[in-house]
Amino acid sequence: MKIDRLETPALIVEREIFYKNMEAMAKLLEGRNIKLRPHFKSNKSAFIAHEQIKYGAKGITCAKLSEAVDLCDSGVEDILIANQITDSRKISRLAQLALDCHITVCVDDLENVRALAKAAEETGSVIHCFVEYDIGMDRCGVMEIHQVVGLAKAIKAEKSLTFDGIQAYAGHISHVVGKDERLDMTESNSKKLHVLLDRLKEEGIPARELSGGSTGTSVIKAEEDLYTELQAGSYIFMDATYRDLNLPFENSLFLLQQLSASVMG
């Protein structure tokens, strides 16, 4: 279809820039310890998720169970639900989903850990878990190191669960324009995370993964060599709020709107 035949308003993706952004992300992370696990919320497209995997993503991050189901049904084999699943019916569905893919979910509550373990045991599956550490978002997660340790030990004690590591998402830093301020905030968080990771090692429950980050902090995360997973999603499309952050990505998503005769004068 030719562009002048599209009904407007219409969202248009510049294919060349779209793939250029994926190449730029692959280059940014090349040779680094951190691997890309892009967030599904930025596109809600299984096709795009598979394209991201072709360009080096280890798996996909999503926000809720229904998205994880869609991704699994499309053939994505490694999925992170970057939130807590607490409804009993959804926990049962999550345990079933764990039979079909490598599924990881975040936890921040002991009773939730027990409910996940019970459902997985009854289903015969294994659910992978990240303990969510509140690193400044003030949204989900525990704030104290001893709470993280307690949850990690509880997960490790369950045969049907696996403690894979920590989610520490600092989304509040993503759109901070000043690079120095972004660096200072990131450095402050990194010090806390080093203390946490060292404590987990001392307790004999090392974190294999540290997941978080975003498009806005992607360059910083690549250079600091601390996180093992980058949950960036907007990099494929970009938006106006990232223009001043000096990132290696370009806007690929645009709104096509036909101007009326009166506006055109």
Side-chain angles (χ1 to χ4, degrees), residues 101-129:
C101 64
H102 183 290
I103 188 78
T104 307
V105 67
C106 293
V107 299
D108 61 5
D109 177 77
L110 181 58
E111 289 303 314
N112 186 219
V113 169
R114 291 170 177 163
L116 291 169
K118 183 174 184 293
E121 184 176 357
E122 291 174 351
T123 306
S125 61
V126 173
I127 298 174
H128 297 260
C129 298

Side-chain angles (χ1 to χ4, degrees), residues 150-189:
L151 288 168
K153 287 183 175 180
I155 294 166
K156 192 174 177 62
E158 300 287 351
K159 294 181 179 179
S160 56
L161 302 181
T162 299
F163 171 64
D164 281 358
I166 303 296
Q167 173 169 284
Y169 177 65
H172 58 296
I173 303 177
S174 301
H175 296 274
V176 174
V177 174
K179 184 176 181 180
D180 289 342
E181 186 177 358
R182 288 204 314 279
L183 285 169
D184 288 344
M185 294 174 74
T186 300
E187 183 178 353
S188 176
N189 284 342

Side-chain angles (χ1 to χ4, degrees), residues 77-89:
E77 297 177 350
D78 191 341
I79 302 165
L80 164 64
I81 302 176
N83 281 308
Q84 291 72 27
I85 303 298
T86 58
D87 179 83
S88 59
R89 291 169 298 179

